[in-house]
Amino acid sequence: MSQHEHFEEEEFETEFNGETVLRIFRLGLLHWPLMLGYLLSVVVTSVLDGYLTFLTKRIVDDGIVAGDAEQIWRLVLQYGLGLVLVAVGVMGFIYSAGRLGERVQYDLRKTMFSRLQDLSLSYYDRTPVGWLMSRLTADASRVGDLVSWGFMDLLWGGVAIVISLIFMAMINVQMMLIVAAVIPVLVVVAFRFKKKILVEYRDVRKTNSKITGAYNENITGVRVVKSLRREEGNLEEFTDLTRTMYRAGFRAAWLSALFLPVVQLISAVAISGVVLYSGRQFQLGGMTIGGIQAFIFYITHMLFPIQEMARIYAEMQQAIASGERIFSLVDAVPEIQDRSGAQAPDTLRGDILFENVDFQYEEEKPVLRNFSLHVRQGETIALVGPTGAGKSTIVNLVCRFYEPSRGRILINGKDYTEWTLHGIHSRVGVVLQTPYLFSGSIWENLRYGRLDAADDEVVNAAKVAGAHTFIEELEEGYDSQVGEGGVLLSVGQTQLLSLARAILADPDIFIMDEATSSVDTLTEALVQDAMDAILADRTSFVIAHRLSTIRKADRILVIEDGRIAEQGTHAQLIRQRGHYYNLYTKQFRDERIGSAQPLLQGGKLVTA
Amino acid sequence: MNDNASESGRSIPSRPPQGFRPEENDQEEMDDKGIRLAYDLKDTLTDNRFVGLWRMATGFRTIYIIAVVAAGLAALSRSAVFYLLRYLVDDVLMGSGSQWRIPWVAAGIIALALLQGFFSFGMGRLAAETAEGVTRRLRNYLYDHIQRLTFTYHDTMQTGELIQRATSDVDTLRRLFQDQLIGIGRTGLLFLVNLTALALLHGWLALLSIPLLPVISVASFFFFRRMTTVFESYQSQDAAVSNRLQERLTGVRVVKAFARQSYEIDRFEEENWEKYRRGVQIAKLHTLFWPVVETLTGGQLLFGMYMASRLALNGEITVGTYVAFTGLLIATIWPVQGIGRLVAHVSTGLVSLTRVQEIIRQEREELEEGSAPKDKRLRGALQFRNVQFAYESPASEEDDEAKKGKETNLDPQETRRRAFAERGYVLRDINLTVKPGQVVGLLGATGSGKSSLVNLLPRFYEYSGGSITLDGAELREFSRGFLRGQIGIVQQEPFLFSTTIRNNISYGVGRDVSDEELEAAARAAAIHDVVQTFPKGYDTLVGERGVTLSGGQKQRVTIARTLLKDPAILLMDDATSSVDTETDAAIRAALQRLMQGRTTFIIAHRVQSVMTADQILVMESGRIIQRGSHDELVAQPGVYRQIFELQVQIEADLEREIAAVVEAAEEKLDGIEKGQPLLQANGSPSESEIPHSVTKG
């Protein structure tokens, strides 16, 4: 998947957006000493390069032909000095461009990451993580390269061409004009070629990602392949892919192979023009032998930058496209922001009131309509109902991960948009069904709830959450690594840890979305008792499928189609024999049967 | 048989739409089946990796050598320009003033450029043909090889690792042939040709022009080797940044829930800064290297030029010779800078070769070998006698190395292989008789040997002891290809390929499938109606680029696939366990139809799945601990009866308990209700009158 995205986004775009270029350029200007550094060193180096070639001319003309040994010695000394200066120049631009490139990447990643922290969850709903990753990795490095090496190469090429032309003019203006006439031809040919080659390479990349996909499918599905004897058919289809790959790759390669000879041929035409003309000029005294030699060197010198500029132009296009995507991220406005004058709440204890709340994730698809609810301070509310009915939406709104599109939510009598987001988030504890742990030790993960918690506080929270026992059984205890996303632990264990993490945060409002769904029954019962004490004086919302959890709630809301279909205590609702009754009896049956299913474990009969 | 399969496979009306596939002409098709692509790459396994590379180029060697020769000729044409220049200077300009020769010189320059261009294009083109041809053959071979390797290999090898080798490492090899090997040849020839040209101009002057070159090439080799290490450290930090990003962006809800944004920004800053720091490290290394090399190269050039100018001054060489000499000098010295890079790349290329060869070294599964007749349909009578099975692992060289004390650095693959080997016998003393058309239920815990037992039938693994006969003949005498054609498998986790639904259903039937047949199978599998709801019907793509099917829908597609295949023996791996209850019934019905008239093995965790089976085997630790029909097993004491009774009891309890709960609820409510009206079903928003104390107290 990421492979696909990667390859598809690598395609260059033909739009040239001056504004974006300017904005990218300004990224470099933030570190103007480095930019100035490479600017100067590039100019100095190019000028010196041109001058060194000029010196070789003088060695021939003023030294050898004139028979002046002393002059040769002086010129050689100059040349040597020039070499040292060139080395310094090279040093200067490699260092400053290298550093600048890294710096700009660093800046971009930093800016983007900070922006991402502010963006609302709705942004993340719309934007796949893979897309964001590409912005912060591939795109950032492409823009960094453009600011440093791209701009530098462009400058280098331009300066080298101009300097060569100037020195040539100093030797012979008319002959310089001959050479200058060839430049446009070279540029056009170079760009034409590069464009074709790039198109081929794009084909190569596309096919390559298909090949990778084919390998992936064939290896992960090898069992099916073997059982259906599809080997021959698969190979046949795969050879179609490799044939395409062969053609695209071969074409790209021979186009590249043709490119250089063509450029060299054009320059040979220029050189032969120079030779033709020089004969007459030589007779007239307008041209020297050293001059002819210098012209040949200058022409060869100019080839490289022109060739390179076609490549740089293509890369620039890519980098500009990258820049546009980066700026779209940086410019994204969080949908949920602190209102001006928002204050940090001292506490979020108090009644929670939904007043005629409408909400939708996508236009035209309302999830909640005119939803009202009054939750008393300290109440435990259980939300039940089918998937997609709006249970998670209600708790998301309480957390202010999203805000109502119409209506208000009041906490302790005050519209909660008058509080700061940070204030609300740090006082609402959320435990999700698919808890997410970060790679690192258990210590680190639990402390995420409260960064300055002492060891014994962490351990206490773990004990309350019923996590302490299994942590102690781990070889390294609290120092054990949990792996990325908690993969080294079972789902039940990660749920307990994420519960402990929330407990440690000591929130005013508790939200548990199927928080212990994968915890075994025995542990859950223990956790339940401990949680009762914690939830006693806190308002809490619980989404759960286990009856034991639901039954204990102060009030049960049956949510269907974004509305409260039924509400009341367990006893009241059972007696109504409505939705809840049906849900409950079906659930009960499933739970009992479910718990008796995995019957044999290690040869012993297990009953729940 | 397989030839037929592939032929008819090609003529299935609508194959996956592959718009990118260019027109095929017959010439290319011939090329595909020609000698060059058919070379068995097992031959490339040698101790000497250069020999391996040489063999890998089989069929392309001649053109590759021609490419190198062309590189030499290109260098020669280039050197000749300088001789032409000498002629221009000495004989035309400074000589007798024969002006009419100048156009000839000019034409000569263009002619030589044409010649040089022709040869260097020829080199590039031939190198490309070799590189692309070698990798195309390698890709095809690896793809086929991988799908024909044994399960034992696939069990121990990680998918990502295999893909990495088949793609990145193959591409590294392509570049080796395309650029690096030929680059070394080219640079070497360029150097030799130019040096010879120099020597022809003036012997000892040529010698004076090269003493620093070995220093430069050695320095550049060491630089690039060092660079590889530094770059790796940069790359690993790059990976660290990506990992952190991936994690924090995936876990963004957690970050927000705990309002840890500024904390995260600080943590990210650490990784980000470290990457910057290492990037600057690379820049510094370059900053150190290039000026030094530039100075050395320039110094060598200057020295040569100075010596030559003194000779010219003394009249020992002509001015024309001097001009030619300086030009050649640059052409000789300049390419040397790059040789270190090439050598460093070749050494990484050789590592890739080894990694690819490790896959090639594995033995394939023989699909066609077997003496049993292949032309008649199986009846499905099975007899197991004292069957034993262990996941044996072929002794490899690594084993010997490990014994010599290299235990510490085992790669994950080797660790997994050993873990498999240590499991020892996973099946013991299996005795079983199955009549054609019988249904056998296998019940047992994970790891009890159920899957291992059925995996023996299509010969995914070979039994290590005892005998299995199928329709009276020993199972080993049937070819794997034939067996797999007669055995249908429905897995717990259905696997579909990212192609159309039509292709997924007809996948592996090995003949033309008419629309009627396809629909009939789909109807029987209860998936036809679902498919009809898609705009493109059976031509709908599944997977990433098409529709996402639910687990149950996928399962029904695989059932349709198996129905169409019409196998004599059916293996079902708890096919309904991952399916939600609503579609459960539809799948059950489809499975019933599928099982009709076939010898069927059902692997299950639950009693209900096997209750109707003709024989039920209860397995534990690789042995059958109980067997019989449901009635027989219930009649005797044992695990099965315990499970069953428990289940019956649960059902009974259930009814009772629900009744009790309702009763209790009503009683409880009656107590409170005295002062409290009963709530309406669609209670108004402010139902604050509900007492908190109801369940709290």
Side-chain angles (χ1 to χ4, degrees):
Chain A
M1 179 77 199
S2 63
Q3 201 102 22
H4 277 305
E5 277 175 22
H6 180 65
F7 283 111
E8 303 216 342
E9 281 175 9
E10 240 180 350
E11 291 170 19
F12 64 98
E13 306 192 0
T14 39
E15 300 288 318
F16 190 90
N17 186 335
E19 219 169 285
T20 313
V21 179
L22 211 64
R23 205 166 159 189
I24 292 174
F25 190 70
R26 264 191 249 123
L27 293 172
L29 279 185
L30 286 175
H31 308 283
W32 62 268
L34 288 175
M35 227 176 182
L36 190 71
Y38 85 61
L39 211 117
L40 283 179
S41 10
V42 162
V43 173
V44 167
T45 315
S46 314
V47 173
L48 278 173
D49 262 348
Y51 183 65
L52 288 184
T53 308
F54 192 68
L55 281 180
T56 60
K57 173 210 177 278
R58 290 192 59 198
I59 291 175
V60 176
D61 292 343
D62 304 350
I64 299 170
V65 177
D68 187 345
E70 206 141 307
Q71 182 70 4
I72 290 182
W73 185 238
R74 270 198 301 274
L75 291 170
V76 166
L77 273 184
Q78 271 192 45
Y79 198 104
L81 190 67
L83 275 180
V84 174
L85 288 177
V86 166
V88 173
V90 169
M91 212 177 230
F93 74 70
I94 288 184
Y95 182 73
S96 40
R99 185 165 194 141
L100 181 67
E102 288 298 327
R103 183 66 204 212
V104 169
Q105 282 188 42
Y106 162 83
D107 287 351
L108 282 174
R109 281 193 299 265
K110 186 173 177 163
T111 316
M112 282 190 275
F113 190 79
S114 304
R115 169 58 27 168
L116 281 171
Q117 298 306 310
D118 294 338
L119 288 171
S120 315
L121 280 186
S122 51
Y123 183 83
Y124 287 91
D125 292 340
R126 289 192 303 269
T127 322
V129 171
W131 191 90
L132 296 174
M133 291 288 294
S134 303
R135 303 296 77 77
L136 274 98
T137 53
D139 280 345
S141 77
R142 237 178 254 147
V143 170
D145 281 350
L146 176 67
V147 176
S148 50
W149 302 109
F151 285 160
M152 193 191 83
D153 283 346
L154 219 56
L155 186 73
W156 168 276
V159 173
I161 291 169
V162 171
I163 295 289
S164 300
L165 288 175
I166 290 174
F167 276 109
M168 278 189 264
M170 280 169 65
I171 298 166
N172 187 308
V173 178
Q174 286 140 315
M175 283 172 62
M176 178 276 271
L177 291 175
I178 296 179
V179 177
V182 178
I183 292 179
V185 181
L186 266 179
V187 170
V188 170
V189 169
F191 276 68
R192 283 266 168 91
F193 254 102
K194 277 294 163 185
K195 208 168 169 183
K196 279 198 168 168
I197 292 173
L198 279 169
V199 169
E200 293 299 329
Y201 275 122
R202 191 173 54 182
D203 276 357
V204 168
R205 279 198 304 269
K206 269 188 180 169
T207 316
N208 196 40
S209 74
K210 283 184 178 154
I211 285 180
T212 309
Y215 270 118
N216 187 32
E217 196 166 84
N218 203 35
I219 295 170
T220 50
V222 70
R223 199 185 159 88
V224 181
V225 171
K226 280 179 184 291
S227 65
L228 293 174
R229 294 179 311 154
R230 271 291 292 188
E231 291 92 347
E232 294 277 339
N234 280 353
L235 180 60
E236 192 103 7
E237 278 173 21
F238 186 74
T239 53
D240 284 349
L241 275 181
T242 53
R243 187 182 301 116
T244 312
M245 184 69 168
Y246 175 80
R247 285 184 186 149
F250 182 60
R251 215 179 128 75
W254 80 252
L255 271 175
S256 306
L258 194 59
F259 179 53
L260 194 62
V262 168
V263 169
Q264 279 171 341
L265 187 65
I266 295 170
S267 72
V269 170
I271 291 175
S272 70
V274 167
V275 167
L276 263 181
Y277 195 67
S278 70
R280 213 157 50 106
Q281 291 283 307
F282 191 75
Q283 239 64 23
L284 300 172
M287 192 58 178
T288 58
I289 289 169
I292 295 173
Q293 190 193 20
F295 258 83
I296 293 173
F297 286 159
Y298 282 126
I299 292 170
T300 334
H301 247 129
M302 278 167 39
L303 277 186
F304 190 64
I306 291 175
Q307 241 173 275
E308 284 297 281
M309 275 164 107
R311 176 185 61 82
I312 296 158
Y313 180 71
E315 280 174 10
M316 259 181 87
Q317 285 180 317
Q318 285 190 24
I320 290 166
S322 294
E324 274 171 8
R325 291 191 292 254
I326 287 177
F327 295 138
S328 86
L329 195 165
V330 172
D331 296 341
V333 180
E335 279 165 42
I336 302 172
Q337 296 189 56
D338 287 340
R339 306 288 189 273
S340 60
Q343 289 173 342
D346 296 329
T347 174
L348 282 186
R349 290 182 180 236
D351 289 8
I352 299 172
L353 204 64
F354 279 64
E355 267 185 8
N356 308 318
V357 169
D358 280 8
F359 182 77
Q360 70 252 336
Y361 293 99
E362 289 168 60
E363 293 293 320
E364 308 289 312
K365 286 184 187 168
V367 182
L368 296 182
R369 237 178 305 171
N370 202 20
F371 182 87
S372 297
L373 174 69
H374 183 184
V375 179
R376 294 252 179 95
Q377 156 61 24
E379 220 180 343
T380 296
I381 301 284
L383 298 164
V384 297
T387 315
K391 295 173 306 212
S392 295
T393 306
I394 295 169
V395 300
N396 276 337
L397 286 170
V398 173
C399 299
R400 210 177 153 199
F401 285 154
Y402 301 87
E403 283 177 0
S405 37
R406 205 177 61 83
R408 300 195 299 167
I409 294 174
L410 300 122
I411 298 180
N412 205 7
K414 196 168 174 180
D415 187 334
Y416 79 164
T417 57
E418 287 171 37
W419 304 124
T420 57
L421 278 167
H422 182 268
I424 292 177
H425 289 159
S426 49
R427 285 189 162 67
V428 179
V430 191
V431 192
L432 300 168
Q433 178 183 19
T434 43
Y436 199 85
L437 297 183
F438 296 118
S439 53
S441 69
I442 290 178
W443 281 127
E444 284 162 358
N445 268 289
L446 294 182
R447 282 223 175 82
Y448 207 78
R450 186 148 53 88
L451 299 175
D452 57 357
D455 283 4
D456 57 328
E457 288 177 296
V458 176
V459 173
N460 270 335
K463 278 180 183 159
V464 173
H468 183 72
T469 326
F470 91 79
I471 297 173
E472 287 288 273
E473 279 167 11
L474 295 175
E475 215 164 290
E476 290 171 70
Y478 282 83
D479 289 317
S480 309
Q481 296 291 312
V482 303
E484 194 185 322
V487 288
L488 299 180
L489 303 172
S490 74
V491 181
Q493 288 170 333
T494 54
Q495 285 185 340
L496 293 181
L497 288 182
S498 102
L499 186 61
R501 182 168 69 181
I503 291 169
L504 195 61
D506 189 24
D508 295 332
I509 299 172
F510 235 105
I511 288 170
M512 295 196 284
D513 190 347
E514 302 271 14
T516 49
S517 58
S518 299
V519 175
D520 67 276
T521 346
L522 191 69
T523 313
E524 207 208 8
L526 291 173
V527 174
Q528 198 73 56
D529 290 341
M531 283 307 289
D532 282 348
I534 288 193
L535 298 183
D537 60 338
R538 287 170 226 253
T539 313
S540 58
F541 293 81
V542 179
I543 300 176
H545 71 281
R546 280 217 181 121
L547 301 171
S548 50
T549 319
I550 301 170
R551 221 162 17 195
K552 285 192 171 182
D554 297 326
R555 185 153 41 125
I556 298 164
L557 305 183
V558 180
I559 308 292
E560 263 171 21
D561 274 340
R563 290 172 195 281
I564 302 173
E566 284 176 351
Q567 64 174 318
T569 62
H570 174 70
Q572 288 169 330
L573 292 178
I574 283 290
R575 197 169 162 183
Q576 278 183 23
R577 297 200 178 237
H579 297 276
Y580 183 74
Y581 173 83
N582 291 335
L583 216 65
Y584 181 80
T585 48
K586 183 181 179 306
Q587 194 95 36
F588 193 82
R589 182 182 295 265
D590 289 352
E591 239 173 66
R592 287 309 299 266
I593 293 176
S595 63
Q597 280 322 318
L599 290 157
L600 296 152
Q601 304 241 312
K604 280 183 194 141
L605 194 64
V606 177
T607 59
Chain B
M1 178 146 205
N2 268 314
D3 278 343
N4 278 338
S6 63
E7 279 310 313
S8 53
R10 288 193 67 82
S11 53
I12 288 172
S14 63
R15 304 188 35 191
Q18 290 173 321
F20 57 88
R21 200 162 43 142
E23 299 287 311
E24 290 165 17
N25 55 49
D26 293 335
Q27 192 56 49
E28 292 276 346
E29 281 301 317
M30 290 299 292
D31 207 84
D32 249 14
K33 288 170 185 148
I35 305 151
R36 288 202 300 192
L37 287 170
Y39 174 67
D40 185 359
L41 292 174
K42 275 247 182 303
D43 283 359
T44 65
L45 302 172
T46 50
D47 288 338
N48 187 320
R49 291 185 292 184
F50 285 103
V51 175
L53 275 179
W54 179 242
R55 294 204 182 150
M56 193 116 338
T58 303
F60 300 96
R61 289 175 193 165
T62 321
I63 60 169
Y64 205 59
I65 290 170
I66 294 175
V68 177
V69 173
L73 291 174
L76 211 57
S77 326
R78 187 172 157 73
S79 300
V81 174
F82 297 105
Y83 273 78
L84 198 61
L85 217 54
R86 182 173 76 156
Y87 174 76
L88 174 75
V89 171
D90 288 348
D91 299 344
V92 182
L93 296 178
M94 300 189 58
S96 48
S98 33
Q99 278 293 315
W100 57 272
R101 286 182 190 156
I102 288 182
W104 288 109
V105 174
I109 288 173
I110 294 180
L112 284 175
L114 274 172
L115 216 56
Q116 188 199 344
F118 173 76
F119 287 124
S120 71
F121 169 69
M123 175 202 80
R125 197 202 161 283
L126 294 174
E129 194 175 333
T130 309
E132 296 292 336
V134 165
T135 43
R136 177 188 182 183
R137 178 169 65 197
L138 185 58
R139 285 195 185 104
N140 288 348
Y141 186 87
L142 282 178
Y143 183 88
D144 198 31
H145 192 63
I146 288 171
Q147 66 179 354
R148 288 169 193 273
L149 290 176
T150 60
F151 270 104
T152 318
Y153 182 75
H154 280 284
D155 286 341
T156 55
M157 194 68 178
Q158 278 157 348
T159 308
E161 179 68 25
L162 264 180
I163 292 177
Q164 175 91 20
R165 291 184 187 197
T167 55
S168 304
D169 284 320
V170 168
D171 199 57
T172 308
L173 283 175
R174 182 188 62 79
R175 265 180 280 135
L176 198 62
F177 279 107
Q178 171 85 66
D179 299 324
Q180 286 132 20
L181 287 179
I182 197 112
I184 288 182
R186 198 182 75 97
T187 312
L189 283 173
L190 209 60
F191 180 74
L192 281 181
V193 167
N194 284 323
L195 192 65
T196 315
L198 277 181
L200 286 176
L201 284 175
H202 198 277
W204 69 265
L205 197 53
L207 280 182
L208 281 182
S209 318
I210 52 166
L212 276 181
L213 297 189
V215 180
I216 295 170
S217 47
V218 169
S220 87
F221 172 70
F222 281 108
F223 167 73
F224 281 106
R225 225 179 49 175
R226 171 96 187 98
M227 201 62 218
T228 319
T229 341
V230 175
F231 192 66
E232 268 166 19
S233 116
Y234 177 74
Q235 290 286 57
S236 77
Q237 184 58 27
D238 186 55
V241 168
S242 295
N243 284 343
R244 177 158 285 262
L245 274 174
Q246 176 89 45
E247 220 184 53
R248 302 298 145 144
L249 294 179
T250 313
V252 65
R253 273 173 174 274
V254 178
V255 177
K256 287 204 177 287
F258 289 98
R260 286 279 171 265
Q261 283 90 342
S262 55
Y263 172 81
E264 287 306 333
I265 290 173
D266 291 348
R267 292 288 85 74
F268 182 70
E269 169 69 13
E270 289 167 15
E271 302 284 3
N272 197 14
W273 183 260
E274 180 61 21
K275 186 183 170 196
Y276 167 66
R277 207 185 58 75
R278 293 191 190 178
V280 171
Q281 209 66 39
I282 292 182
K284 280 184 182 161
L285 207 58
H286 277 293
T287 309
L288 212 66
F289 173 72
W290 289 108
V292 171
V293 163
E294 288 276 319
T295 314
L296 284 176
T297 320
Q300 175 67 71
L301 185 71
L302 183 60
F303 180 68
M305 245 161 55
Y306 177 65
M307 296 312 286
S309 70
R310 290 205 26 193
L311 290 180
L313 207 60
N314 298 339
E316 279 181 52
I317 57 173
T318 63
V319 177
T321 305
Y322 172 82
V323 169
F325 178 82
T326 44
L328 280 170
L329 196 57
I330 295 173
T332 312
I333 293 176
W334 180 74
V336 175
Q337 285 187 8
I339 199 87
R341 186 210 306 263
L342 288 172
V343 172
H345 281 165
V346 168
S347 60
T348 57
L350 290 176
V351 173
S352 289
L353 178 72
T354 314
R355 285 162 55 81
V356 168
Q357 281 180 331
E358 269 171 31
I359 299 179
I360 297 178
R361 185 168 284 123
Q362 305 300 323
E363 286 303 324
R364 293 184 178 195
E365 236 178 12
E366 181 51 59
L367 284 179
E368 297 311 316
E369 206 171 77
S371 56
K374 297 178 183 178
D375 45 3
K376 64 170 191 221
R377 186 181 166 84
L378 290 174
R379 290 184 301 120
L382 280 158
Q383 177 93 48
F384 285 65
R385 283 193 211 87
N386 295 320
V387 171
Q388 317 271 348
F389 172 62
Y391 287 99
E392 56 182 351
S393 45
S396 61
E397 297 146 44
E398 286 91 331
D399 264 0
D400 300 335
E401 277 175 30
K403 277 171 202 151
K404 283 172 202 157
K406 282 191 176 178
E407 295 278 356
T408 42
N409 43 14
L410 282 179
D411 59 82
Q413 184 202 347
E414 183 58 17
T415 318
R416 286 172 71 172
R417 198 183 65 71
R418 290 187 178 197
F420 265 99
E422 276 166 19
R423 285 174 60 186
Y425 282 98
V426 290
L427 288 180
R428 290 164 198 275
D429 309 326
I430 302 294
N431 287 292
L432 175 67
T433 309
V434 185
K435 294 190 188 110
Q438 261 195 344
V439 176
V440 181
L442 293 162
L443 199 66
T446 314
S448 61
K450 308 184 299 283
S451 300
S452 303
L453 195 149
V454 299
N455 276 338
L456 295 180
L457 294 177
R459 289 183 66 192
F460 286 159
Y461 301 92
E462 297 297 310
Y463 44 102
S464 11
S467 123
I468 302 175
T469 57
L470 174 58
D471 291 354
E474 187 68 26
L475 193 68
R476 280 201 191 91
E477 283 163 22
F478 291 95
S479 73
R480 290 186 181 86
F482 173 71
L483 279 175
R484 290 172 195 176
Q486 301 272 330
I487 297 175
I489 301 175
V490 180
Q491 295 188 78
Q492 188 175 358
E493 297 285 334
F495 186 92
L496 296 187
F497 292 86
S498 51
T499 168
T500 60
I501 294 176
R502 179 191 305 275
N503 280 325
N504 265 300
I505 294 178
S506 56
Y507 188 92
V509 180
R511 60 182 169 80
D512 255 334
V513 176
S514 67
D515 283 0
E516 290 75 35
E517 269 185 287
L518 188 83
E519 276 181 31
R523 268 182 222 281
I527 190 68
H528 179 73
D529 293 338
V530 179
V531 175
Q532 289 305 305
T533 64
F534 301 137
K536 285 187 184 167
Y538 284 97
D539 294 321
T540 308
L541 288 171
V542 296
E544 261 171 44
R545 282 156 189 270
V547 298
T548 312
L549 298 178
S550 74
Q553 289 168 339
K554 280 188 199 166
Q555 193 60 274
R556 281 176 279 164
V557 171
T558 63
I559 291 172
R561 175 159 84 192
T562 315
L563 274 168
L564 205 56
K565 185 180 174 181
D566 189 24
I569 299 173
L570 189 62
L571 311 178
M572 296 206 300
D573 197 344
D574 214 0
T576 56
S577 73
S578 63
V579 170
D580 47 297
T581 41
E582 283 148 55
T583 49
D584 199 44
I587 293 179
R588 262 175 215 293
L591 285 175
Q592 283 302 325
R593 281 190 281 277
L594 183 58
M595 283 157 62
Q596 220 92 70
R598 306 175 210 277
T599 305
T600 305
F601 285 78
I602 302 174
I603 294 179
H605 301 288
R606 345 166 163 194
V607 170
Q608 298 103 305
S609 313
V610 294
M611 250 159 57
T612 54
D614 299 309
Q615 310 190 47
I616 299 165
L617 312 176
V618 182
M619 297 195 64
E620 187 193 300
S621 311
R623 294 174 200 272
I624 299 173
I625 55 166
Q626 267 193 301
R627 66 173 81 211
S629 70
H630 174 72
D631 293 339
E632 287 164 7
L633 287 174
V634 168
Q636 57 180 260
V639 178
Y640 190 88
R641 188 161 84 179
Q642 273 178 279
I643 299 170
F644 182 72
E645 280 174 355
L646 192 71
Q647 196 137 25
V648 172
Q649 192 196 332
I650 287 169
E651 282 295 329
D653 284 356
L654 200 64
E655 289 305 316
R656 229 181 12 254
E657 279 185 48
I658 288 177
V661 163
V662 171
E663 200 174 306
E666 293 192 343
E667 266 171 32
K668 203 172 193 176
L669 215 57
D670 283 339
I672 305 154
E673 229 180 22
K674 281 159 192 161
Q676 198 91 82
L678 188 65
L679 288 161
Q680 289 307 303
N682 49 353
S684 64
S686 51
E687 298 287 7
S688 47
E689 62 269 26
I690 297 169
H692 304 136
S693 52
V694 171
T695 47
K696 270 230 172 91

